[in-house]
Amino acid sequence: GENVEQHPSTLSVQEGDSAVIKCTYSDSASNYFPWYKQELGKGPQLIIDIRSNVGEKKDQRIAVTLNKTAKHFSLHITETQPEDSAVYFCAAVPGGSYIPTFGRGTSLIVHP
Amino acid sequence: DTAVSQTPKYLVTQMGNDKSIKCEQNLGHDTMYWYKQDSKKFLKIMFSYNNKELIINETVPNRFSPKSPDKAHLNLHINSLELGDSAVYFCASSQPRTSAAEQFFGPGTRLTVL
């Protein structure tokens, strides 16, 4: 089955800095890579996703990149704000499935 | 107009008891899930139901029994609760057409077994 590794487990930045979270996956058949944000006391919520036929996708201050050859994908947050503080999960979904395999999460702390 | 709702939000109980968690979605989705999130935030799928039929049961003890009375509801019943069952349980739903289907999560139920 799919295995997703996520790093770092904790990331602490100053407001205005950039934050990068990296994930690797094992199943070359995975073709959909969503990112979820979980705020304290809430369920995870999709913030951005990327499909395997695309190398990069941006949405305002967040962007995702995908390197299919290396089986790496990353989340980039620019100009971080305190409200970006949360746990972020990457996931990979193999083609033919709709069940994501989640990484172990990154706790992002943005200091004002 | 909550999309995925769960009750209760908190559940504190003694070892050996039986408890249930209810989940409802008003998104019209065909597929519902239960996830367990441990103290280290690891999200692990437990069950997946599609149109009231069990699709996935991921090596979960048979003390856990999901029940789907209709496609908008997926309840989780747990028998003989153990200390290791303490976690946050999330219900989710999606409308999968391809692998690229967003999962909509409920707010979670924090289960504490004493």
Side-chain angles (χ1 to χ4, degrees):
Chain A
E2 176 64 276
N3 182 47
V4 177
E5 300 283 340
Q6 182 172 348
H7 299 280
S9 56
T10 305
L11 181 56
S12 185
V13 300
Q14 288 297 126
E15 183 176 359
D17 288 349
S18 294
V20 181
I21 302 170
K22 298 184 178 182
C23 291
T24 61
Y25 62 99
S26 61
D27 187 348
S28 57
S30 288
N31 62 5
Y32 175 59
F33 306 91
W35 286 87
Y36 287 79
K37 176 183 180 183
Q38 185 179 16
E39 295 177 346
L40 196 62
K42 297 184 178 180
Q45 185 171 12
L46 181 73
I47 55 169
I48 195 167
D49 55 15
I50 191 166
R51 301 183 193 202
S52 60
N53 59 349
V54 175
E56 183 174 359
K57 183 176 178 181
K58 289 184 75 170
D59 183 3
Q60 298 181 26
R61 295 186 298 107
I62 60 174
V64 290
T65 58
L66 172 65
N67 182 329
K68 281 174 53 181
T69 304
K71 298 200 191 88
H72 288 173
F73 58 116
S74 300
L75 176 72
H76 304 252
I77 307 174
T78 58
E79 299 171 29
T80 53
Q81 299 167 4
E83 52 264 37
D84 294 329
S85 296
V87 179
Y88 291 81
F89 292 93
C90 64
V93 186
S97 170
Y98 51 84
I99 307 296
T101 298
F102 286 92
R104 286 189 164 266
T106 295
S107 180
L108 174 64
I109 303 163
V110 181
H111 299 280
Chain B
D1 59 346
T2 305
V4 181
S5 59
Q6 293 178 231
T7 54
K9 182 134 175 91
Y10 301 96
L11 188 51
V12 181
T13 188
Q14 299 287 330
M15 260 196 324
N17 284 351
D18 303 338
K19 290 293 178 186
S20 292
I21 307 171
K22 295 186 176 183
C23 177
E24 177 181 2
Q25 55 96 2
N26 62 6
L27 297 166
H29 289 166
D30 289 333
T31 305
M32 296 184 71
Y33 313 81
W34 277 108
Y35 286 87
K36 180 180 180 180
Q37 186 172 49
D38 63 22
S39 58
K40 296 190 177 178
K41 301 290 186 184
F42 182 45
L43 262 176
K44 184 173 169 57
I45 191 161
M46 301 172 69
F47 300 101
S48 171
Y49 265 74
N50 188 54
N51 272 320
K52 303 194 298 174
E53 288 190 31
L54 179 65
I55 303 298
I56 290 171
N57 177 347
E58 289 284 334
T59 59
V60 177
N62 58 14
R63 298 182 295 104
F64 290 79
S65 53
K67 286 196 171 42
S68 183
D70 55 62
K71 75 173 194 178
H73 295 84
L74 180 62
N75 304 322
L76 184 65
H77 189 76
I78 316 170
N79 289 328
S80 304
L81 278 155
E82 300 177 357
L83 293 176
D85 298 332
S86 295
V88 181
Y89 292 85
F90 286 100
C91 177
S93 73
S94 73
Q95 188 65 1
R97 295 279 182 255
T98 66
S99 59
E102 178 179 355
Q103 302 240 330
F104 290 81
F105 285 84
T109 296
R110 181 174 293 277
L111 172 65
T112 303
V113 183
L114 303 174

XYZ file of all heavy atoms in Angstrom, chain A residues 4 31-32 34 36 38-47 49 51 87 89 93-105, chain B residues 9 31 33 35 37-38 40-45 48-50 55-56 88 90 94 96 98-108:
512
model
N 3.188 7.494 3.115
C 3.493 8.919 2.963
C 4.304 9.387 4.161
O 3.880 9.218 5.305
C 2.188 9.744 2.848
C 2.509 11.234 2.773
C 1.393 9.303 1.626
N -1.945 9.585 -7.908
C -2.079 10.658 -8.893
C -2.829 11.880 -8.377
O -3.152 12.792 -9.124
C -2.770 10.124 -10.159
C -4.178 9.621 -9.878
O -4.687 9.744 -8.777
N -4.796 9.039 -10.896
N -3.117 11.886 -7.081
C -3.820 13.032 -6.505
C -3.234 13.294 -5.123
O -3.075 12.368 -4.314
C -5.316 12.728 -6.416
C -6.135 13.809 -5.722
C -6.168 15.114 -6.206
C -6.876 13.512 -4.588
C -6.910 16.092 -5.579
C -7.625 14.485 -3.949
C -7.634 15.773 -4.443
O -8.375 16.748 -3.827
N -3.711 15.886 -2.050
C -4.362 16.997 -1.354
C -3.587 17.392 -0.098
O -2.847 16.593 0.478
C -5.730 16.405 -0.975
C -5.465 14.935 -0.810
C -4.330 14.590 -1.740
N -4.388 19.194 3.703
C -5.437 19.565 4.628
C -4.851 20.377 5.779
O -3.741 20.122 6.232
C -6.142 18.317 5.192
C -7.052 17.623 4.203
C -6.540 16.771 3.222
C -8.430 17.827 4.235
C -7.374 16.143 2.309
C -9.276 17.208 3.340
C -8.738 16.368 2.377
O -9.571 15.743 1.474
N -5.668 21.527 9.724
C -6.506 21.235 10.881
C -6.241 22.266 11.959
O -5.163 22.289 12.563
C -6.241 19.825 11.425
C -7.176 19.447 12.559
C -6.928 18.048 13.083
O -5.892 17.427 12.830
N -7.884 17.513 13.817
N -7.229 23.108 12.214
C -7.127 24.084 13.291
C -7.520 23.414 14.599
O -8.204 22.382 14.613
C -8.004 25.291 12.975
C -7.525 26.040 11.740
C -8.412 27.210 11.365
O -9.545 27.297 11.881
O -7.974 28.036 10.555
N -7.112 24.021 15.677
C -7.319 23.434 16.998
C -8.799 23.170 17.260
O -9.631 24.058 17.097
C -6.752 24.383 18.054
C -6.529 23.805 19.445
C -5.512 22.684 19.398
C -6.064 24.892 20.410
N -9.109 21.933 17.620
C -10.483 21.593 17.963
C -11.406 21.381 16.781
O -12.622 21.249 16.950
N -10.839 21.349 15.576
C -11.670 21.192 14.378
C -11.201 20.003 13.545
O -10.134 19.442 13.772
C -11.623 22.464 13.535
C -12.188 23.686 14.229
C -12.209 24.883 13.295
C -12.818 26.094 13.977
N -12.843 27.273 13.066
N -12.013 19.642 12.570
C -11.615 18.606 11.640
C -10.731 19.174 10.534
O -10.738 20.379 10.281
N -9.952 18.325 9.879
C -9.124 18.791 8.759
C -9.987 19.362 7.633
O -11.111 18.912 7.401
C -8.412 17.517 8.302
C -8.465 16.589 9.470
C -9.767 16.900 10.158
N -9.411 20.348 6.930
C -10.118 20.982 5.823
C -9.157 21.121 4.648
O -8.014 21.565 4.827
C -10.628 22.355 6.269
C -11.493 23.053 5.242
C -12.149 24.307 5.812
O -11.790 24.772 6.882
N -13.104 24.843 5.096
N -9.645 20.766 3.474
C -8.811 20.855 2.270
C -8.446 22.308 1.988
O -9.312 23.191 1.995
C -9.566 20.280 1.075
C -8.813 20.278 -0.255
C -7.739 19.216 -0.262
C -9.767 20.062 -1.420
N -7.157 22.565 1.744
C -6.744 23.930 1.413
C -6.214 24.042 -0.010
O -6.355 25.089 -0.653
C -5.702 24.480 2.406
C -4.480 23.547 2.517
C -6.327 24.735 3.760
C -3.313 24.171 3.285
N -4.842 21.311 -3.574
C -4.519 19.962 -4.037
C -3.815 20.047 -5.385
O -3.808 21.099 -6.030
C -5.768 19.081 -4.136
C -6.858 19.686 -5.010
O -6.586 20.641 -5.771
O -8.008 19.214 -4.921
N -2.791 17.515 -8.956
C -2.905 16.231 -9.645
C -1.593 15.926 -10.349
O -0.784 16.815 -10.601
C -4.061 16.259 -10.632
C -5.361 16.566 -9.943
C -6.547 16.531 -10.852
N -7.698 17.129 -10.171
C -8.942 16.896 -10.500
N -9.226 16.077 -11.502
N -9.922 17.471 -9.840
N -2.202 22.403 12.228
C -1.525 21.176 11.794
C -1.872 20.954 10.328
O -3.043 21.022 9.938
C -1.960 19.956 12.633
C -1.252 18.693 12.140
C -1.642 20.194 14.117
N -1.614 18.468 6.955
C -1.450 17.079 6.533
C -1.331 17.022 5.012
O -2.151 17.604 4.293
C -2.661 16.227 6.928
C -2.830 16.029 8.398
C -3.639 16.876 9.134
C -2.174 14.994 9.047
C -3.791 16.692 10.507
C -2.327 14.795 10.411
C -3.134 15.654 11.146
N -3.274 9.805 -3.020
C -4.373 8.912 -3.390
C -4.006 8.194 -4.680
O -3.767 8.842 -5.702
C -5.685 9.685 -3.602
C -6.838 8.714 -3.840
C -5.985 10.581 -2.422
N -3.939 6.867 -4.644
C -3.623 6.132 -5.877
C -4.768 6.196 -6.882
O -5.941 6.289 -6.495
C -3.427 4.698 -5.392
C -3.256 4.795 -3.915
C -4.034 6.000 -3.498
N -4.425 6.136 -8.144
C -5.446 6.045 -9.173
C -6.276 4.793 -8.959
O -5.755 3.746 -8.588
N -7.579 4.908 -9.164
C -8.449 3.764 -8.946
C -8.957 3.673 -7.522
O -9.825 2.854 -7.213
N -8.414 4.507 -6.653
C -8.877 4.571 -5.266
C -9.379 5.976 -4.987
O -9.131 6.889 -5.783
C -7.718 4.247 -4.319
O -8.073 4.518 -2.970
N -10.060 6.172 -3.917
C -10.426 7.511 -3.465
C -10.122 7.683 -1.995
O -10.565 8.630 -1.371
C -11.900 7.811 -3.769
C -12.859 6.739 -3.299
C -13.316 6.706 -1.990
C -13.296 5.752 -4.176
C -14.174 5.721 -1.566
C -14.149 4.764 -3.759
C -14.600 4.747 -2.455
O -15.451 3.769 -2.043
N -9.361 6.740 -1.434
C -9.012 6.806 -0.023
C -7.616 7.396 0.114
O -6.635 6.802 -0.362
C -9.036 5.409 0.614
C -10.371 4.709 0.349
C -8.731 5.511 2.098
C -11.555 5.391 0.977
N -7.487 8.563 0.764
C -6.154 9.153 0.921
C -5.357 8.443 2.006
O -5.916 8.010 3.010
C -6.466 10.596 1.327
C -7.824 10.561 1.922
C -8.548 9.401 1.310
N -4.055 8.357 1.782
C -3.125 7.978 2.840
C -2.486 9.258 3.329
O -1.869 9.990 2.540
C -2.043 7.021 2.318
O -2.659 5.816 1.866
C -1.050 6.682 3.440
N -2.636 9.547 4.603
C -2.163 10.813 5.152
C -0.746 10.697 5.685
O -0.341 9.648 6.198
C -3.082 11.265 6.297
C -4.411 11.788 5.837
C -5.502 10.945 5.727
C -4.576 13.132 5.515
C -6.732 11.414 5.298
C -5.806 13.622 5.084
C -6.871 12.762 4.981
N -0.001 11.804 5.582
C 1.242 11.936 6.312
C 0.929 12.146 7.787
O -0.233 12.288 8.177
N 1.997 12.197 8.599
C 1.779 12.270 10.045
C 1.517 13.685 10.550
O 1.343 13.885 11.753
C 2.962 11.651 10.780
C 2.961 10.133 10.677
C 3.999 9.516 11.585
N 3.739 8.094 11.749
C 3.026 7.585 12.747
N 2.526 8.352 13.670
N 2.820 6.287 12.817
N 1.505 14.651 9.666
C 1.149 16.003 10.072
C 2.347 16.859 10.459
O 3.364 16.360 10.942
N -19.527 15.725 21.080
C -18.210 16.300 20.817
C -17.180 15.729 21.790
O -16.030 15.557 21.429
C -18.257 17.818 20.973
C -16.919 18.487 20.662
C -17.083 19.687 19.771
C -15.747 20.406 19.572
N -15.038 19.885 18.403
N -20.414 8.526 -0.068
C -19.395 7.802 0.697
C -19.105 8.493 2.014
O -18.948 9.712 2.060
C -18.107 7.681 -0.140
O -18.431 7.078 -1.398
C -17.082 6.794 0.565
N -16.936 7.982 5.974
C -15.741 7.366 6.561
C -15.702 7.616 8.067
O -16.259 8.601 8.560
C -14.463 8.006 5.985
C -14.419 8.160 4.492
C -15.060 9.231 3.864
C -13.711 7.262 3.690
C -15.010 9.394 2.497
C -13.655 7.423 2.315
C -14.317 8.488 1.728
O -14.265 8.646 0.364
N -12.437 8.006 10.780
C -11.006 8.084 11.008
C -10.749 8.141 12.508
O -11.554 8.687 13.265
C -10.419 9.363 10.394
C -10.302 9.369 8.895
C -11.362 9.779 8.094
C -9.114 8.995 8.270
C -11.241 9.804 6.718
C -8.989 9.026 6.891
C -10.054 9.430 6.123
O -9.933 9.455 4.756
N -7.827 9.630 15.137
C -6.631 10.469 15.264
C -6.062 10.286 16.660
O -6.719 10.617 17.651
C -6.956 11.946 15.014
C -5.707 12.822 14.987
C -5.996 14.247 14.549
O -6.914 14.889 15.058
N -5.199 14.742 13.612
N -4.847 9.758 16.724
C -4.257 9.496 18.038
C -3.651 10.764 18.629
O -3.729 11.840 18.047
C -3.236 8.354 17.937
C -2.050 8.686 17.037
O -1.765 9.881 16.809
O -1.407 7.744 16.551
N -0.754 11.757 18.821
C 0.307 12.368 18.010
C -0.231 12.904 16.694
O 0.528 13.220 15.779
C 1.418 11.351 17.752
C 2.106 10.922 19.034
C 3.345 10.110 18.779
C 4.020 9.795 20.112
N 5.214 8.956 19.956
N -1.544 13.007 16.593
C -2.221 13.615 15.453
C -2.253 12.731 14.212
O -2.683 13.191 13.158
C -1.592 14.971 15.062
C -1.618 15.985 16.178
C -3.022 16.453 16.444
C -3.057 17.580 17.460
N -4.431 17.979 17.787
N -1.815 11.476 14.330
C -1.830 10.607 13.164
C -3.268 10.250 12.805
O -4.023 9.760 13.648
C -1.011 9.350 13.447
C -0.915 8.412 12.290
C -0.635 8.878 11.013
C -1.100 7.052 12.455
C -0.536 8.021 9.937
C -1.009 6.177 11.380
C -0.730 6.663 10.120
N -3.645 10.499 11.533
C -4.989 10.222 11.035
C -5.002 8.869 10.339
O -4.325 8.688 9.331
C -5.375 11.277 9.993
C -6.234 12.450 10.395
C -6.391 13.389 9.221
C -7.591 12.008 10.910
N -5.813 7.958 10.845
C -5.849 6.623 10.242
C -7.279 6.253 9.904
O -8.172 6.377 10.737
C -5.261 5.610 11.232
C -5.151 4.201 10.683
C -4.405 3.300 11.634
C -4.514 1.841 11.242
N -4.035 1.585 9.889
N -7.494 5.818 8.686
C -8.847 5.447 8.294
C -9.237 4.141 8.980
O -8.425 3.226 9.144
C -8.993 5.338 6.762
C -10.466 5.209 6.388
C -8.164 4.169 6.218
C -10.776 5.532 4.973
N -14.856 2.693 5.555
C -15.451 3.481 4.489
C -16.743 2.796 4.055
O -16.754 1.583 3.857
C -14.485 3.599 3.316
O -15.122 4.184 2.202
N -17.792 3.597 3.939
C -19.082 3.087 3.480
C -19.469 3.828 2.208
O -19.346 5.043 2.122
C -20.167 3.348 4.535
C -20.418 2.197 5.458
C -19.493 1.891 6.454
C -21.563 1.426 5.360
C -19.727 0.833 7.317
C -21.797 0.369 6.224
C -20.869 0.076 7.193
O -21.092 -0.973 8.044
N -19.971 3.076 1.250
C -20.479 3.681 0.031
C -21.921 3.243 -0.153
O -22.208 2.051 -0.261
C -19.627 3.268 -1.178
C -20.007 4.037 -2.423
O -20.023 5.262 -2.422
N -20.353 3.342 -3.488
N -17.174 -0.723 2.525
C -16.190 -0.877 1.456
C -14.824 -1.217 2.030
O -14.102 -2.048 1.520
C -16.088 0.418 0.621
C -17.437 0.788 0.044
C -15.029 0.292 -0.459
C -18.005 -0.232 -0.897
N -14.473 -0.523 3.095
C -13.150 -0.698 3.681
C -13.273 -0.904 5.178
O -14.008 -0.199 5.851
C -12.266 0.540 3.418
C -11.898 0.612 1.946
C -11.005 0.528 4.280
C -11.218 1.890 1.555
N -9.324 10.990 19.144
C -10.372 11.796 18.511
C -10.845 11.039 17.282
O -10.024 10.614 16.460
C -9.865 13.198 18.118
C -10.998 14.000 17.477
C -9.320 13.933 19.341
N -13.021 11.065 13.834
C -13.591 11.966 12.836
C -14.429 11.182 11.842
O -13.992 10.153 11.310
C -12.487 12.690 12.059
C -11.791 13.760 12.835
C -10.559 13.516 13.415
C -12.376 15.010 12.996
C -9.912 14.506 14.143
C -11.730 16.004 13.724
C -10.502 15.745 14.296
N -17.400 12.088 1.247
C -16.910 12.569 -0.045
C -17.829 12.045 -1.130
O -18.667 11.158 -0.899
C -15.472 12.127 -0.300
O -15.406 10.740 -0.587
N -16.867 10.567 -4.374
C -15.789 10.187 -5.282
C -16.279 9.865 -6.677
O -17.166 9.044 -6.873
C -15.184 8.948 -4.617
C -16.295 8.370 -3.824
C -17.155 9.514 -3.393
N -13.535 10.315 -9.077
C -12.184 9.861 -9.382
C -11.434 9.863 -8.064
O -12.024 10.106 -7.011
C -11.481 10.814 -10.365
O -11.299 12.078 -9.690
C -12.316 11.034 -11.605
N -10.149 9.665 -8.114
C -9.364 9.717 -6.881
C -9.338 11.130 -6.311
O -9.073 11.327 -5.142
C -7.938 9.237 -7.142
O -7.326 10.037 -8.131
N -9.646 12.128 -7.148
C -9.548 13.525 -6.711
C -10.838 13.980 -6.056
O -11.539 14.847 -6.565
C -9.213 14.409 -7.907
N -11.168 13.387 -4.935
C -12.413 13.725 -4.248
C -12.089 14.311 -2.886
O -11.449 13.654 -2.056
C -13.283 12.487 -4.090
N -12.529 15.534 -2.649
C -12.288 16.188 -1.368
C -13.041 15.459 -0.266
O -14.205 15.077 -0.432
C -12.756 17.637 -1.430
C -12.573 18.386 -0.111
C -13.027 19.835 -0.198
O -13.393 20.280 -1.308
O -13.011 20.524 0.848
N -12.354 15.291 0.843
C -12.982 14.714 2.027
C -13.448 15.866 2.911
O -12.700 16.792 3.191
C -11.970 13.865 2.799
C -11.368 12.738 1.985
C -11.647 11.389 2.585
O -11.774 11.251 3.786
N -11.753 10.370 1.749
N -14.697 15.799 3.338
C -15.259 16.800 4.240
C -15.352 16.152 5.624
O -16.060 15.158 5.795
C -16.646 17.230 3.758
C -16.620 18.034 2.487
C -16.507 17.398 1.255
C -16.692 19.416 2.530
C -16.466 18.132 0.084
C -16.657 20.162 1.353
C -16.544 19.524 0.132
N -14.637 16.745 6.556
C -14.562 16.164 7.893
C -15.545 16.830 8.847
O -15.815 18.031 8.755
C -13.150 16.346 8.469
C -12.133 15.413 7.868
C -11.500 15.720 6.675
C -11.804 14.217 8.498
C -10.554 14.868 6.118
C -10.863 13.357 7.952
C -10.242 13.687 6.761
N -16.031 16.037 9.782
C -16.803 16.577 10.888
C -15.878 17.201 11.926
O -14.658 17.151 11.782
N -16.433 17.763 12.994
C -15.627 18.453 14.000
C -14.895 17.514 14.958
O -14.055 17.963 15.728
C -16.665 19.283 14.763
C -17.935 18.528 14.593
C -17.869 17.896 13.245
N -15.207 16.230 14.911
C -14.510 15.267 15.757
C -15.230 14.987 17.071
O -15.984 15.824 17.583
